[in-house]
Amino acid sequence: MRSPTSSHFENVILFYVVSFLRVENHAKVDDIDQRAYSVWVSEIMLQQTQVATVIDYYNKWIKKWPTVKALSEASLEEVNEVWSGLGYYSRARRLHEGANKIVNKLNGRMPRNAADLQREIPGIGRYTA
């Protein structure tokens, strides 16, 4: 029997492979903050959720809010609407809170190291950072 960590790791790898094969998701991303935002969203979505479920939600999310700034401008109601079906709504709320903090307090820049990610961004713990 596989451990939850092993299974999660395999899901993350599979998700990244699928994402990189889709040009509209990652292949055109040059900016480190944009790249970090995309990875952050995918990591949070993959917590407690299978890759097969996440892919469509991720694509819809990134299409609606392609940048952390765009997400920060959304209402929590809009965020929860797009998240609907993934469960664990606190993850969506923390993404939204984190986006607002990044835009309003961190000048639109994602923290550059694990310690700062954990300290500054709601919902990011040691594993995700």
Side-chain angles (χ1 to χ4, degrees), residues 6-118:
S6 173
S7 178
H8 176 75
F9 179 73
E10 290 169 4
N11 282 339
V12 169
I13 296 300
L14 178 59
F15 180 78
Y16 287 132
V17 169
V18 170
S19 294
F20 276 99
L21 292 175
R22 297 178 60 96
V23 173
E24 68 270 20
N25 286 342
H26 286 296
K28 296 180 181 177
V29 176
D30 295 322
D31 178 70
I32 193 166
D33 289 303
Q34 180 61 37
R35 173 73 176 188
Y37 168 68
S38 298
V39 170
W40 175 37
V41 170
S42 67
E43 281 288 332
I44 299 304
M45 285 185 171
L46 284 165
Q47 293 171 357
Q48 305 293 318
T49 309
Q50 294 181 359
V51 173
T53 302
V54 167
I55 291 171
D56 288 338
Y57 282 91
Y58 174 83
N59 288 332
K60 185 176 177 183
W61 183 282
I62 293 298
K63 185 175 182 178
K64 185 162 183 79
W65 301 299
T67 65
V68 71
K69 184 173 185 336
L71 176 57
S72 75
E73 294 168 350
S75 70
L76 184 56
E77 184 178 292
E78 290 175 293
V79 169
N80 284 335
E81 208 172 279
V82 172
W83 193 271
S84 181
L86 278 176
Y88 302 98
Y89 284 86
S90 63
R91 295 181 295 166
R93 186 186 75 245
R94 287 189 190 116
L95 275 168
H96 188 247
E97 289 171 3
N100 281 303
K101 187 169 187 183
I102 291 164
V103 169
N104 297 316
K105 298 193 181 205
L106 302 175
N107 299 316
R109 298 194 55 137
M110 293 284 289
R112 296 295 193 254
N113 61 61
D116 289 344
L117 279 166
Q118 290 177 71

